[in-house]
Coordinates of all heavy atoms in Angstrom, one line a residue:
W1 N 0.8 -1.2 0.0 CA 0.0 0.0 0.0 C 0.9 1.3 0.0 O 0.8 2.1 -0.9 CB -0.9 0.0 1.2 CG -1.7 1.3 1.4 CD1 -1.8 2.1 2.5 CD2 -2.5 2.0 0.4 NE1 -2.5 3.2 2.2 CE2 -3.0 3.1 1.0 CE3 -2.8 1.7 -1.0 CZ2 -3.8 4.0 0.3 CZ3 -3.7 2.6 -1.6 CH2 -4.2 3.7 -1.0
Y2 N 1.8 1.4 1.0 CA 2.6 2.6 1.0 C 3.6 2.7 -0.1 O 3.9 3.7 -0.7 CB 3.3 2.7 2.4 CG 2.4 2.8 3.6 CD1 2.3 1.7 4.5 CD2 1.6 3.9 3.7 CE1 1.4 1.8 5.6 CE2 0.7 4.0 4.8 CZ 0.6 2.9 5.7 OH -0.3 3.0 6.7
G3 N 4.1 1.5 -0.5 CA 5.0 1.5 -1.7 C 4.3 1.9 -3.0 O 4.8 2.7 -3.8
T4 N 3.0 1.5 -3.1 CA 2.2 1.9 -4.3 C 1.9 3.4 -4.3 O 1.9 4.0 -5.3 CB 0.9 1.1 -4.4 OG1 1.3 -0.3 -4.4 CG2 0.1 1.4 -5.6
V5 N 1.6 3.9 -3.1 CA 1.4 5.3 -3.0 C 2.6 6.1 -3.4 O 2.5 7.1 -4.2 CB 0.9 5.7 -1.5 CG1 0.9 7.2 -1.3 CG2 -0.4 5.1 -1.2
I6 N 3.8 5.7 -3.0 CA 5.0 6.5 -3.3 C 5.2 6.4 -4.8 O 5.5 7.4 -5.5 CB 6.2 5.9 -2.5 CG1 6.0 6.2 -1.0 CG2 7.5 6.6 -3.0 CD1 7.0 5.6 -0.1
V7 N 5.2 5.2 -5.4 CA 5.5 5.0 -6.8 C 4.4 5.7 -7.6 O 4.6 6.4 -8.6 CB 5.6 3.5 -7.2 CG1 5.7 3.4 -8.7 CG2 6.7 2.9 -6.5
G8 N 3.1 5.6 -7.2 CA 2.0 6.3 -7.9 C 2.2 7.8 -7.9 O 1.9 8.4 -8.9
F9 N 2.6 8.4 -6.7 CA 2.8 9.8 -6.7 C 3.8 10.3 -7.7 O 3.7 11.3 -8.4 CB 3.1 10.2 -5.3 CG 3.4 11.7 -5.1 CD1 2.4 12.6 -5.1 CD2 4.8 12.1 -5.1 CE1 2.7 14.0 -5.0 CE2 5.0 13.5 -5.0 CZ 4.0 14.4 -4.9
C10 N 4.9 9.5 -7.7 CA 6.0 9.9 -8.7 C 5.5 9.7 -10.1 O 5.8 10.6 -11.0 CB 7.2 8.9 -8.4 SG 8.0 9.2 -6.8
F11 N 4.7 8.7 -10.4 CA 4.2 8.4 -11.7 C 3.3 9.5 -12.1 O 3.3 10.0 -13.3 CB 3.6 7.1 -11.8 CG 3.2 6.7 -13.2 CD1 4.1 6.1 -14.0 CD2 1.9 6.8 -13.7 CE1 3.8 5.8 -15.3 CE2 1.5 6.4 -14.9 CZ 2.5 5.9 -15.8
F12 N 2.4 9.9 -11.2 CA 1.4 11.0 -11.5 C 2.2 12.3 -11.8 O 1.9 13.0 -12.8 CB 0.5 11.2 -10.3 CG -0.8 10.5 -10.5 CD1 -0.9 9.1 -10.4 CD2 -2.0 11.2 -10.7 CE1 -2.1 8.5 -10.5 CE2 -3.2 10.6 -10.9 CZ -3.3 9.2 -10.8
S13 N 3.2 12.6 -11.1 CA 4.0 13.8 -11.3 C 4.7 13.8 -12.6 O 4.6 14.8 -13.4 CB 5.0 14.0 -10.2 OG 4.4 14.0 -8.9
F14 N 5.3 12.7 -13.0 CA 6.0 12.6 -14.2 C 5.1 12.7 -15.4 O 5.3 13.4 -16.4 CB 6.8 11.3 -14.3 CG 7.8 11.1 -13.2 CD1 8.3 9.9 -12.8 CD2 8.3 12.2 -12.6 CE1 9.2 9.7 -11.8 CE2 9.3 12.1 -11.5 CZ 9.7 10.8 -11.2
S15 N 3.9 12.0 -15.3 CA 3.0 11.9 -16.4 C 2.3 13.2 -16.7 O 2.3 13.7 -17.9 CB 1.9 10.8 -16.2 OG 2.4 9.6 -16.1
I16 N 1.9 13.9 -15.7 CA 1.2 15.2 -15.9 C 2.2 16.2 -16.4 O 2.0 17.0 -17.3 CB 0.6 15.7 -14.6 CG1 -0.6 14.7 -14.2 CG2 0.1 17.1 -14.6 CD1 -1.3 15.0 -12.9
S17 N 3.5 16.2 -15.8 CA 4.5 17.1 -16.3 C 4.9 16.8 -17.8 O 5.1 17.8 -18.6 CB 5.7 17.0 -15.4 OG 5.4 17.3 -14.1
L18 N 4.9 15.6 -18.1 CA 5.2 15.2 -19.5 C 4.2 15.7 -20.5 O 4.5 16.2 -21.6 CB 5.4 13.7 -19.7 CG 5.7 13.1 -21.1 CD1 7.0 13.7 -21.6 CD2 5.7 11.6 -21.0
V19 N 2.9 15.6 -20.1 CA 1.8 16.1 -21.0 C 1.9 17.6 -21.2 O 1.8 18.1 -22.3 CB 0.5 15.7 -20.4 CG1 -0.7 16.3 -21.2 CG2 0.3 14.2 -20.5
F20 N 2.2 18.3 -20.1 CA 2.3 19.8 -20.2 C 3.5 20.2 -21.1 O 3.4 21.2 -21.8 CB 2.4 20.4 -18.8 CG 1.0 20.7 -18.2 CD1 0.4 19.8 -17.4 CD2 0.4 21.9 -18.4 CE1 -0.8 20.0 -16.9 CE2 -0.8 22.2 -17.9 CZ -1.4 21.3 -17.1
K21 N 4.6 19.4 -20.9 CA 5.8 19.8 -21.8 C 5.5 19.4 -23.2 O 6.0 20.0 -24.1 CB 7.0 19.0 -21.2 CG 7.5 19.6 -19.9 CD 8.0 21.0 -20.0 CE 9.2 21.2 -20.9 NZ 9.7 22.5 -20.9
T22 N 4.8 18.3 -23.5 CA 4.5 17.9 -24.8 C 3.6 18.8 -25.6 O 3.7 19.1 -26.8 CB 3.9 16.5 -24.8 OG1 4.8 15.6 -24.1 CG2 3.7 15.9 -26.3
V23 N 2.6 19.4 -24.8 CA 1.6 20.3 -25.4 C 2.3 21.6 -26.0 O 2.0 22.1 -27.1 CB 0.5 20.7 -24.4 CG1 -0.3 21.8 -24.9 CG2 -0.3 19.5 -24.1
R24 N 3.3 22.1 -25.3 CA 4.1 23.2 -25.7 C 3.3 24.5 -26.0 O 3.5 25.2 -27.0 CB 4.9 22.9 -27.0 CG 6.0 21.9 -26.7 CD 6.7 21.5 -28.0 NE 7.8 20.5 -27.8 CZ 9.0 20.9 -27.7 NH1 9.4 22.1 -27.8 NH2 10.0 19.9 -27.5
C25 N 2.2 24.7 -25.3 CA 1.3 25.8 -25.6 C 0.6 26.2 -24.3 O 0.1 25.3 -23.6 CB 0.3 25.4 -26.7 SG -0.8 26.8 -27.2

């Protein structure tokens, strides 16, 4: 549970940041 929360938080941060950088607008 706690391991999934930590990995999930990192994954959410990377994914949302990647989408914003890909949009470039």
Side-chain angles (χ1 to χ4, degrees):
W1 172 235
Y2 298 114
T4 302
V5 168
I6 294 172
V7 175
F9 176 78
C10 295
F11 188 81
F12 262 72
S13 302
F14 301 155
S15 297
I16 293 176
S17 302
L18 178 61
V19 171
F20 272 90
K21 291 296 295 183
T22 304
V23 169
R24 293 174 178 263
C25 182

